[in-house]
Amino acid sequence: MESPDSGARCPLQEQRARWERKRACTARELLETERRYQEQLGLVATYFLGILRAKGTLRLPERQALFGPWELIYGASQDLLPYLEGGHWGQGLEGFCPHLELYTQYAANAESSWTTLQEQLKKNKRFRRFVQLQEGRPEFGGLQLQDLLPLPLQRLQQYENLVVALAENTGPNSPDHQQLTRAARLISETAQRVHTIGQRQKNDQHLRRVQALLSGRQAKGLTTGRWFLRQGWLLVVPPRGEPRPRMFFLFTDVLLMAKPRPPLHLLQSGSFACRALYPMAQCQLHRVFGHSGGPCGGLLSLSFPREKLLLMSTDQEELSRWYHSLTLAISSQKN
């Protein structure tokens, strides 16, 4: 006679079976995506880098600025793939980790790469024709060079997701558990460094754009070393008279109020003149009204040691975004 419990599985066995299924699924995805990734790396290395080097269409400094350590990243993938195909996940990924610095270098070069591509497409007729010819090859499937250049950074994010999942679903008694855990940690640390580099590059772009909008002697160097949060029009409500529209630029440490230059100004039309800088470390922020999310907008009160600002917007959502950003700036100065 069959025992009532003979068909039931031990909870520990069920957990191990779930781990094994997830591990197998993750390992298969890592292998399949690595094959596709290596194929795309190879296309760029062969049809762009290799031919550009042979034909001399781009000088060495431009090639290095455009592609960075692309060929070294391609080589690292070529080293990794046989291990994945053989099921040696821990050994392969452990050997791959010393190459992670290439991804940090690639991220640091990303802005220069994009700028070089745009400049060469605009100024270098031979390069422009070459790129169009190569992009038309059936191997690229309609992808353009500008679509392919971000691939290594996109792949790094995939590495993090997949290798962390692989490590988490590998039992502690597995022979490659320590190797996978170490690889997951190193890849995650690299991905975080790359994310930080990307954030700094975006911030630098914002700062250059804002600095270009500001004119006059007082505007020189105003954005240097700052962290940009947001910008937009708000109405300044004076003690007497009508509200006046002003452009505000918010950084983590200061709020910059600017006034538009006259449209007929010969040299500086379309730019803004700085009117005041308010230190966020000394700011006290309050909502005067606009808490309910209604259609009537709202009013913010910003108090500083020597001045008080009343800022109004007829857009309730926009005012809420400003309130959130101002709160973030004030908090950052207290930490």
Side-chain angles (χ1 to χ4, degrees), residues 82-307:
Y83 287 98
L84 301 185
E85 291 176 330
H88 306 298
W89 314 102
Q91 186 180 356
L93 289 166
E94 186 175 50
F96 173 75
C97 283
H99 300 293
L100 288 172
E101 179 60 27
L102 295 172
Y103 286 82
T104 305
Q105 296 172 12
Y106 194 82
N109 185 64
E111 190 173 5
S112 174
S113 173
W114 176 257
T115 302
T116 302
L117 177 61
Q118 299 310 309
E119 288 178 349
Q120 292 300 317
L121 287 174
K122 183 178 180 180
K123 299 177 181 178
N124 189 331
K125 190 174 182 180
R126 284 184 63 201
F127 177 73
R128 184 167 63 249
R129 287 179 175 175
F130 170 79
V131 169
Q132 291 171 347
L133 179 65
Q134 301 305 86
E135 290 175 346
R137 289 179 176 270
E139 295 91 338
F140 287 93
L143 290 174
Q144 297 181 332
L145 180 58
Q146 65 182 12
D147 302 322
L148 294 166
L149 288 176
L151 272 177
L153 302 185
Q154 295 168 356
R155 183 56 178 168
L156 180 63
Q157 187 60 60
Q158 290 179 329
Y159 280 143
E160 181 181 22
N161 296 337
L162 293 170
V163 176
V164 167
L166 195 62
E168 288 177 345
N169 291 286
T170 298
N173 297 326
S174 175
D176 60 354
H177 177 262
Q178 287 189 352
Q179 292 173 316
L180 290 172
T181 301
R182 190 181 307 115
R185 176 178 57 80
L186 292 173
I187 291 172
S188 294
E189 290 173 355
T190 303
Q192 182 57 51
R193 285 196 292 272
V194 165
H195 175 74
T196 301
I197 290 171
Q199 293 296 102
R200 287 174 180 166
Q201 289 175 344
K202 288 180 182 178
N203 183 64
D204 289 343
Q205 292 171 5
H206 282 304
L207 294 183
R208 287 194 295 270
R209 178 184 55 79
V210 172
Q211 188 65 63
L213 288 173
L214 298 172
S215 62
R217 186 177 302 174
Q218 291 180 320
K220 291 183 178 180
L222 276 179
T223 63
T224 303
R226 294 203 150 101
W227 197 266
F228 176 83
L229 293 179
R230 71 180 302 109
Q231 74 179 71
W233 291 96
L234 290 170
L235 295 170
V236 177
V237 182
R240 298 183 185 86
E242 295 294 319
R244 300 185 299 267
R246 292 289 182 266
M247 176 63 76
F248 285 89
F249 300 93
L250 177 62
F251 305 90
T252 49
D253 63 327
V254 294
L255 176 66
L256 189 156
M257 182 174 70
K259 181 180 179 181
R261 295 284 186 180
L264 298 180
H265 197 291
L266 292 177
L267 299 177
Q268 298 171 337
S269 176
S271 64
F272 296 87
C274 177
R275 283 293 176 260
L277 274 178
Y278 300 99
M280 299 311 298
Q282 301 174 4
C283 179
Q284 293 183 353
L285 173 67
H286 303 283
R287 276 188 199 253
V288 179
F289 67 87
H291 301 76
S292 63
C296 299
L299 187 68
L300 300 178
S301 170
L302 285 74
S303 298
F304 301 93
R306 297 184 180 182
E307 190 173 350

